[in-house]
Amino acid sequence: MDALDASKLLDEELYSRQLYVLGSPAMQRIQGARVLVSGLQGLGAEVAKNLVLMGVGSLTLHDPHPTCWSDLAAQLNRAVQVVVHTGDITEDLLLDFQVVVLTAAKLEEQLKVGTLCHKHGVCFLAADTRGLVGQLFCDFGEDFTVQDPTEAEPLTAAIQHISQGSPGILTLRKGANTHYFRDGDLVTFSGIEGMVELNDCDPRSIHVREDGSLEIGDTTTFSRYLRGGAITEVKRPKTVRHKSLDTALLQPHVVAQSSQEVHHAHCLHQAFCALHKFQHLHGRPPQPWDPVDAETVVGLARDLEPLKRTEEEPLEEPLDEALVRTVALSSAGVLSPMVAMLGAVAAQEVLKAISRKFMPLDQWLYFDALDCLPEDGELLPSPEDCALRGSRYDGQIAVFGAGFQEKLRRQHYLLVGAGAIGCELLKVFALVGLGAGNSGGLTVVDMDHIERSNLSRQFLFRSQDVGRPKAEVAAAAARGLNPDLQVIPLTYPLDPTTEHIYGDNFFSRVDGVAAALDSFQARRYVAARCTHYLKPLLEAGTSGTWGSATVFMPHVTEAYRAPASAAASEDAPYPVCTVRYFPSTAEHTLQWARHEFEELFRLSAETINHHQQAHTSLADMDEPQTLTLLKPVLGVLRVRPQNWQDCVAWALGHWKLCFHYGIKQLLRHFPPNKVLEDGTPFWSGPKQCPQPLEFDTNQDTHLLYVLAAANLYAQMHGLPGSQDWTALRELLKLLPQPDPQQMAPIFASNLELASASAEFGPEQQKELNKALEVWSVGPPLKPLMFEKDDDSNFHVDFVVAAASLRCQNYGIPPVNRAQSKRIVGQIIPAIATTTAAVAGLLGLELYKVVSGPRPRSAFRHSYLHLAENYLIRYMPFAPAIQTFHHLKWTSWDRLKVPAGQPERTLESLLAHLQEQHGLRVRILLHGSALLYAAGWSPEKQAQHLPLRVTELVQQLTGQAPAPGQRVLVLELSCEGDDEDTAFPPLHYEL
């Protein structure tokens, strides 16, 4: 496979989001792996697509059968270079692979290949979907060691000391959770000074001593430990013992969350066995919704050998014949959402096999979405409606009927977000035929452009698409999957600034909305639009191997609400004083470093450019703040830099300011022995007393900071930079030591900064003018916008080095570069399998939304964790009912005031609300504009009450209703209500 050469170094830019999920060692193993996938009738193509996206080293595809209509999903592999095997699967062939996957294979073939794989220690998977039911089997052998069973937990286990010896003894700092560690744990280290051989080394096995210290293996030949560092990751290897397929068929271990689910899975196991037997006897699968064939399958299931708990003990469970009958009736079709879901789980299991990260399935997984079928038996499709038509949708028609397919084709849906989940949803929509009729359509909204890091998850994009709008490329790719698809791309954001585009007329043509967004702010806004326009909302999100897929139906389920914890944590900064002077976590130091980048290389340049372009006095500037901003940028140079040496001199001076003189100055304000009035030491609890650092060219972090800072300073001034570490070391030896008198002052609190601002007088004015004169001639500066995904621009280098040095000052365990980049860039870990799975789950909910009125019991919210084989689906909550006197409403309701001729005045509107709803309005708002308050004076009321409502709104807001706008949304509170009563919005029709 030319495109995935395992000998290449790991492409960290391409797989950046996936690396946060799997880690570098697992990715290296994946890149060198060889996998065989046999059977490409939809499910196999989905598995292959996911494996290619995730960078598996070599993928061999095998499918001896000719392509038919149900294989159209296979076209997703056309842009991928793979090895194709057309011969038989022999014992010798299997020995070339670490993992073999069979999809939609006959049971005889599964038994033959599975037995050979078990014999030779080759990991074996068998997957199949029949209508709305899926089956996955895993056999990783009788002695398979999982190196890293769970997602790594970030630790701050700070190190006190490490001895040289065999074994070396590691002592943790006071307060560290020594009870967390167990014998045999594999640990990794970072941030250690002195014994640097341990930093980022291969995981080392530990033994926990009685006193809580840890034996970490031989450290005799290592350098002497000096200070700092932490255990940053703990892994606990586990051994998995799987049975071969022939044994597991009669003694099935199933993945289930309850005893009820276990019984359900066992019945599905018997249903699949009976379906295989039916096909073996009749040479074909059961006909769609054929009651005779279905009863034959039930009889075969009844006659199967009973399942066993062990070789000796039978299970003695009753067969759910109604379940088996339903499976048989609906088993003739292959459905894209089912294929997406099961193909994602199967691909994740392949990754577990080759990376030895995360616990594999034990051993059978059964997944069904029979809740997609109507509860009322009278509404189930007939055999005639499900007959094959030679259509690309035959698999879907076999399950739901031709009438339902026509409904799908007539739908018009809005997809917000064309990223990873958005691409997967577009694929599902294209393959199911959503909006593929003349009166249907899809609108795809995304304002972003394609970046290279997108290509490992957002499979509709190719390398030649980098830089192009996501919405346009995704729409064209979706039309490639289904030429009948009516899809319109829009690159305007969907937010309050574009309600003139996405307004009443736009939403009147939309049947439903699918949201694939990566921020809770955007999700809340889109959900509010759906609530306003009473549109169904399908919403999905992922973080690593965690995923969710939820559905919100007007008047049936509750409306969308962002999780309180997630919404509260989004963009929540730490206190400024803590970050600047009293950090206690690596996150504090990273926020400080990110703020340093903004002030030094963006805000200062913008301020200077503004002054240059204005050619006016500084009257419009906040002078004290401007001086505080510019003094560090001026630094020790006192002149505009002219060359690389000047930039290095400035960077060295700023290093001294931040990590040496600045710390000394802080300690003069707050000495190490400072005591508070109550006798408590000032430097106690989370406040850690800092130590100034001495600059050392032999310390890589010191050098990286100067290199990055000098390059950024050069970029800002339009000067050439350098990446030569050796030359930089020599240059630093020649430069004079910076003068501490030229350093910017340190303000130990916001109070001191305010005091300094209050003292801004002639001397400070003179200093500010002098600082600005430095840049009064010459070209404008280039403000640097922080870009996290370009590893060659020194942006992340600067932040990582600055934060690491800050950690050294305060004795805080640092985090590695990858984790620093994730925290600073607010990067959400992502992997192709999870996005495909949640898209499949949403596709299943789409079937229910489109099919017509369904009760709340039909819908499912889904949450999954692929790393730990966890999937829960549950019925959404009903909308909460609020009451006020005789009035009852939910979040989906609104008070409607019909348009009148002539238009109502404010006075007549208030009278209408009292007469029709018994509401005496206390306050009436349109946005932030106060239209009416019951407590106003008679004079003020007399000014507002006679005005037409739209006239009053225009007078207060300066804006008339937009052309095509159908309602004004007003908010009200009423006399006699509780303060926390949220009345439904008032829709004043125009």
Side-chain angles (χ1 to χ4, degrees), residues 258 293 728 978:
S258 67
D293 282 358
L728 179 63
D978 296 329

Side-chain angles (χ1 to χ4, degrees), residues 699-990:
Q699 292 284 334
D700 285 348
T701 308
H702 296 205
L703 205 64
L704 176 62
Y705 179 91
V706 173
L707 183 72
N711 271 284
L712 295 173
Y713 200 63
Q715 291 172 28
M716 188 170 76
H717 287 88
L719 297 171
S722 170
Q723 298 190 30
D724 191 330
W725 285 60
T726 304
L728 179 63
R729 276 197 176 91
E730 295 304 314
L731 176 57
L732 286 167
K733 292 175 184 177
L734 302 175
L735 289 176
Q737 290 300 306
D739 180 1
Q741 298 302 317
Q742 295 181 343
M743 301 295 179
I746 296 293
F747 297 108
S749 70
N750 290 338
L751 191 62
E752 288 191 24
L753 182 59
S755 174
S757 300
E759 295 170 4
F760 192 87
E763 284 299 314
Q764 288 77 17
Q765 181 73 61
K766 183 178 177 182
E767 191 174 3
L768 176 56
N769 286 333
K770 187 176 179 182
L772 285 165
E773 281 174 13
V774 169
W775 289 282
S776 61
V777 293
L781 301 186
K782 178 186 177 183
L784 304 183
M785 309 302 291
F786 186 77
E787 172 50 59
K788 64 184 180 295
D789 286 322
D790 182 355
D791 285 337
S792 66
N793 63 11
F794 291 102
H795 294 197
V796 173
D797 290 323
F798 174 83
V799 171
V800 169
S804 180
L805 291 164
R806 200 71 164 170
C807 283
Q808 290 180 35
N809 278 137
Y810 286 85
I812 298 169
V815 292
N816 61 30
R817 177 188 170 86
Q819 291 302 321
S820 297
K821 185 175 176 180
R822 182 181 66 80
I823 294 167
V824 171
Q826 297 180 322
I827 296 172
I828 300 173
I831 192 168
T833 47
T834 318
T835 55
V838 297
L841 290 166
L842 277 194
L844 295 170
E845 296 308 307
L846 174 71
Y847 286 147
K848 305 169 190 177
V849 174
V850 173
S851 65
R854 300 288 295 273
R856 181 168 60 94
S857 58
F859 297 100
R860 296 290 182 271
H861 287 340
S862 300
Y863 291 90
L864 59 85
H865 189 195
L866 294 179
E868 298 192 359
N869 310 315
Y870 176 81
L871 170 64
I872 182 170
R873 301 175 74 222
Y874 65 92
M875 182 172 60
F877 294 113
I881 298 175
Q882 297 191 65
T883 61
F884 178 71
H885 299 327
H886 65 282
L887 200 62
K888 291 184 178 181
W889 72 91
T890 73
S891 55
W892 296 104
D893 291 312
R894 65 282 319 279
L895 295 170
K896 288 185 179 181
V897 177
Q901 290 293 339
E903 189 197 339
R904 297 176 189 275
T905 63
L906 175 61
E907 187 172 21
S908 67
L909 172 61
L910 297 175
H912 173 85
L913 291 172
Q914 184 167 356
E915 292 165 9
Q916 296 297 316
H917 303 288
L919 299 176
R920 294 175 61 85
V921 175
R922 183 171 59 201
I923 291 176
L924 188 65
L925 295 165
H926 174 65
S928 59
L930 180 61
L931 307 186
Y932 173 79
W936 277 348
S937 65
E939 294 78 15
K940 187 155 188 178
Q941 290 196 17
Q943 293 173 5
H944 283 226
L945 291 173
L947 297 177
R948 297 192 310 275
V949 174
T950 55
E951 182 184 8
L952 178 59
V953 167
Q954 185 171 358
Q955 186 180 104
L956 294 174
T957 66
Q959 294 181 332
Q965 186 173 340
R966 301 182 184 186
V967 297
L968 281 177
V969 181
L970 309 178
E971 298 174 59
L972 73 159
S973 65
C974 298
E975 294 180 7
D977 67 331
D978 296 329
E979 287 190 5
D980 59 350
T981 301
F983 282 93
L986 177 63
H987 280 209
Y988 178 81
E989 296 182 353
L990 303 177

Side-chain angles (χ1 to χ4, degrees), residues 117-160:
C117 287
H118 192 83
K119 171 184 172 183
H120 293 291
V122 177
C123 294
F124 171 72
L125 289 86
D128 198 2
T129 65
R130 301 291 182 100
L132 289 161
V133 183
Q135 174 195 65
L136 177 61
F137 171 75
C138 296
D139 173 13
F140 289 7
E142 296 176 356
D143 191 19
F144 181 86
T145 301
V146 184
Q147 298 290 348
D148 193 4
T150 60
E151 287 181 296
E153 297 182 40
L155 294 177
T156 53
I159 297 169
Q160 182 67 39

Side-chain angles (χ1 to χ4, degrees), residues 575-747:
V576 173
C577 224
T578 298
V579 169
R580 286 186 176 175
Y581 309 114
F582 312 119
S584 58
T585 68
E587 286 78 8
H588 291 159
T589 67
L590 285 164
Q591 185 171 316
W592 171 82
R594 181 72 175 80
H595 184 73
E596 276 275 291
F597 181 97
E598 288 296 307
E599 287 200 337
L600 291 171
F601 307 118
R602 183 179 70 83
L603 293 175
S604 60
E606 290 174 351
T607 300
I608 291 163
N609 289 348
H610 175 73
H611 173 66
Q612 277 187 336
Q613 292 159 9
H615 297 295
T616 60
S617 69
L618 301 174
D620 59 338
M621 289 186 179
D622 182 336
E623 295 175 334
Q625 188 173 343
T626 303
L627 181 59
T628 304
L629 180 70
L630 294 188
K631 283 191 74 173
V633 182
L634 192 63
V636 297
L637 282 183
R638 311 318 250 180
V639 294
R640 185 171 180 139
Q642 301 299 312
N643 51 41
W644 170 244
Q645 181 172 323
D646 287 348
C647 296
V648 172
W650 173 85
L652 176 61
H654 201 70
W655 190 103
K656 294 275 190 175
L657 168 65
C658 292
F659 310 113
H660 183 80
Y661 294 119
I663 298 298
K664 281 189 168 182
Q665 204 166 347
L666 183 66
L667 290 174
R668 281 196 287 273
H669 286 282
F670 303 107
N673 58 357
K674 181 179 174 65
V675 177
L676 300 175
E677 290 182 2
D678 62 358
T680 306
F682 178 83
W683 295 105
S684 62
K687 288 191 178 77
Q688 302 187 48
C689 186
Q691 298 295 322
L693 302 180
E694 297 293 339
F695 186 77
D696 183 355
T697 57
N698 294 316
Q699 292 284 334
D700 285 348
T701 308
H702 296 205
L703 205 64
L704 176 62
Y705 179 91
V706 173
L707 183 72
N711 271 284
L712 295 173
Y713 200 63
Q715 291 172 28
M716 188 170 76
H717 287 88
L719 297 171
S722 170
Q723 298 190 30
D724 191 330
W725 285 60
T726 304
L728 179 63
R729 276 197 176 91
E730 295 304 314
L731 176 57
L732 286 167
K733 292 175 184 177
L734 302 175
L735 289 176
Q737 290 300 306
D739 180 1
Q741 298 302 317
Q742 295 181 343
M743 301 295 179
I746 296 293
F747 297 108

